[in-house]
Amino acid sequence: MSANIEELERRRAAAELGGGEKRIAAQHAKGKLTARERLEVLLDKGSFEELDAHVEHNCTDFGMETQRIPGDGVVAGSGTINGRLVFVFSQDFTVFGGSLSERHAQKICKIMDTAMKVGAPVIGLNDSGGARIQEGVASLAGYAEVFQRNVLASGVIPQLSLIMGPCAGGAVYSPAMTDFIFMVKDSSYMFVTGPDVVKTVTNEVVTQEELGGAVTHSTRTGVADVAFENDIEALMAARDFITLLPSSNRSGVPELPSEDLWDRIEPSLDTLIPASANQPYDMHELIRKVLDEGEFFEIAPNHGANIVCGFGRIEGRTVGVVANQPMVLAGVLDINASRKAARFVRFCDAFEIPIVTFVDVPGFLPGTAQEHNGIIKHGAKLLFAYAEATVPKITVITRKAYGGAYDVMASKHLRGDLNYAWPTAEIAVMGAKGAVEIIFRGLSPEEIAEKTREYEERFANPFVAASRGYIDEVIYPHSTRRRIALGLRKLRNKRLKNPRKKHDNLPL
Ligand code: HXC
């Protein structure tokens, strides 16, 4: 072997060792994989092509000139997932805690710039103590360069962040501007400032897990979309997930061969709706029975669970599903559900993914907690998102579609392309009893009961809306998949443009 090649091999081996055996063992002891091991799980076997393995930091303060590790704490490059190109960076906690230096940032920016040019997703595996403290403003500048690219890439290429270690400071703001965040339970954290700073400033005592662990962020805050048990589970899920997404906003949705018959009939759906209007049923059952092979990748299943959002396929092509969930808070729209679904709808619209909406919604959640926390503005987000979306929109009302929530949930009036209802649909301003108690205040209980029956007969059905053309067709529940598949075929070449503008002013 020539001396040159030996030198290359020596340098590669040094880069692969990162922060050294001891720190790798410490990483493993925490149940975490190393940056390179993670890429092996994430990418197709042998597909990873590394860039910038020899990049080193340029810091000379605090004795840093004697501590240079090739790669500088991040492994970056490209590879494939199920044969499709993706760009990746994987921060190496064994090298200065995965902290971001100027050069580390330049590596991330390089792959982001290339991903933008060629139109491929960026997946970031984040495991970082934030800005490299020894570098001061140079590392802050590095972060801002990454942030700027996150924003320019938003809506052009999908950006997925996996949080796989403690992420503080700048290390949380870049993921926050990406499309989706996956976290790992018990080993990943996201906070702007950690428990020590919190104690100093507010005197609160809180653990890392409580403050910003995977459970906190995937249930309470909604900052993270899904929490996984360990690194491998998160990385395998990322593979499935990215396979559902388009490579860019110009690539069109991916299409896989599907064995599932497009016109599969599901007789069980004819009895999905319980006899009593107050009885819940699981909307997942309908979603899975409609999608190819019953496969559904749900986003934020434990936050705002009164609305279900996620991706699946029909005839092998990706669709976004939004559905009220009668099992949780009767499927009401509240702040969390509105924000969650609005962001999801906007993602689908940005990437030309058709949206299928299943509606069973009793309205917006009343109460001071909701009103004082701004349900007006947050509910408006979902209304805004559906109204501006120009992708194919197919809506099926299964049961309740009451009040403003009827309008919001991809109604005909918000440019719904195909608006279907099951015979069990009830489209009205509100539930019959509430309505009668308002318009016939002061009547006896017997009279109220009589008027309620009258109101139900008049409005607790889909035919008033259908007689006006607001519902295109009342369909048999068992034929829902067939009708949606046919609808999506029809709408494949849909073209609709919003008026020219710099950008809209979404009620943030
Ligand atoms: C340089 C860092 C570092 C950092 C960790 N290390 N964070 N080096 N800059 N930001 C180094 C440690 O010195 C240590 O080096 C190794 O990484 C592992 O760190 P430990 O503390 O031993 O690990 P652990 O106990 O697991 O704690 C991890 C941690 C903690 C929670 C991330 O290290 C931490 O709090 N770091 C600082 C976080 C922070 O305040 N970052 C700056 C945020 S400000 P050795 O050599 O011992 O292995 C910011 C500004 C951007 O990011 C804002 C933009 C909006």
Side-chain angles (χ1 to χ4, degrees), residues 332-348:
V332 78
L333 286 180
D334 62 359
I335 291 173
N336 288 348
S338 302
R339 287 175 47 214
K340 166 176 145 181
R343 191 162 159 74
F344 182 78
V345 166
R346 296 190 95 223
F347 177 86
C348 291

Side-chain angles (χ1 to χ4, degrees), residues 244 258-261 264 266 283-298 310-316 319 321 481:
L244 280 158
S258 169
E259 304 274 287
D260 204 350
L261 288 178
R264 172 169 45 78
E266 279 292 344
M283 194 54 103
H284 286 111
E285 188 178 337
L286 169 57
I287 295 170
R288 290 193 182 274
K289 284 182 172 161
V290 164
L291 295 175
D292 288 356
E293 276 103 33
E295 280 175 16
F296 181 53
F297 196 112
E298 188 169 353
F311 299 102
R313 295 188 178 86
I314 290 187
E315 292 200 85
V319 292
V321 176
R481 172 175 161 90

Side-chain angles (χ1 to χ4, degrees), residues 23 30 93 96-97 99 129-134 140 143 147 166 168-170 173:
R23 291 195 183 88
K30 287 182 202 148
F93 193 77
F96 308 116
S99 59
R132 174 93 43 93
I133 294 167
Q134 296 88 334
L140 297 182
Y143 260 127
F147 298 157
Y173 272 113

Side-chain angles (χ1 to χ4, degrees), residues 85-319:
L85 177 67
V86 295
F87 286 80
V88 287
F89 67 88
S90 181
Q91 290 176 316
D92 184 350
F93 193 77
T94 69
V95 179
F96 308 116
S99 59
L100 184 132
S101 66
E102 184 186 340
R103 293 275 166 84
H104 176 131
Q106 281 170 6
K107 288 179 66 172
I108 296 176
C109 290
K110 188 190 272 186
I111 62 132
M112 291 183 76
D113 290 343
T114 315
M116 281 288 277
K117 275 186 266 182
V118 306
V122 172
I123 305 172
L125 310 184
N126 297 266
D127 192 352
S128 167
R132 174 93 43 93
I133 294 167
Q134 296 88 334
E135 286 201 12
V137 71
S139 67
L140 297 182
Y143 260 127
E145 294 284 343
V146 176
F147 298 157
Q148 179 67 64
R149 282 165 178 79
N150 287 135
V151 173
L152 295 180
S154 180
V156 180
I157 50 174
Q159 300 178 80
L160 171 62
S161 299
L162 276 70
I163 311 294
M164 312 192 85
C167 288
V172 299
Y173 272 113
S174 171
M177 287 192 290
T178 63
D179 297 302
F180 298 99
I181 298 182
F182 293 175
M183 287 184 80
V184 180
K185 286 184 196 163
D186 302 322
S187 61
S188 75
Y189 311 99
M190 294 177 80
F191 27 69
V192 176
T193 57
D196 294 344
V197 179
V198 170
K199 171 87 175 69
T200 312
V201 177
T202 69
N203 216 19
E204 289 167 289
V205 177
V206 63
T207 62
Q208 290 199 22
E209 190 65 42
E210 279 170 332
L211 185 63
V215 172
T216 298
H217 282 312
S218 61
T219 57
R220 223 180 148 137
T221 69
V223 165
D225 295 292
V226 196
F228 295 95
E229 294 300 325
N230 53 50
D231 281 12
I232 298 210
E233 202 185 273
L235 292 161
M236 295 306 286
R239 285 179 60 84
D240 290 343
F241 186 63
I242 220 75
T243 306
L244 280 158
L245 303 185
S247 293
S248 76
N249 65 345
R250 51 182 196 267
S251 69
V253 295
E255 188 165 353
L256 291 183
S258 169
E259 304 274 287
D260 204 350
L261 288 178
W262 69 272
D263 57 354
R264 172 169 45 78
I265 294 295
E266 279 292 344
S268 62
L269 291 179
D270 288 340
T271 50
L272 179 68
I273 304 296
S276 156
N278 297 325
Q279 231 178 306
Y281 61 94
D282 189 357
M283 194 54 103
H284 286 111
E285 188 178 337
L286 169 57
I287 295 170
R288 290 193 182 274
K289 284 182 172 161
V290 164
L291 295 175
D292 288 356
E293 276 103 33
E295 280 175 16
F296 181 53
F297 196 112
E298 188 169 353
I299 296 300
N302 298 316
H303 174 78
N306 34 326
I307 206 157
V308 178
C309 299
F311 299 102
R313 295 188 178 86
I314 290 187
E315 292 200 85
R317 294 166 61 85
T318 302
V319 292

Side-chain angles (χ1 to χ4, degrees), residues 43-77:
L43 300 172
D44 294 342
K45 206 167 167 19
S47 71
F48 181 52
E49 280 190 285
E50 186 168 357
L51 294 179
D52 287 341
H54 308 291
V55 162
E56 293 177 352
H57 70 70
N58 55 353
C59 179
T60 51
D61 291 312
F62 304 104
M64 288 293 277
E65 63 279 12
T66 61
Q67 304 176 56
R68 293 193 202 277
I69 296 176
D72 203 25
V74 62
V75 184

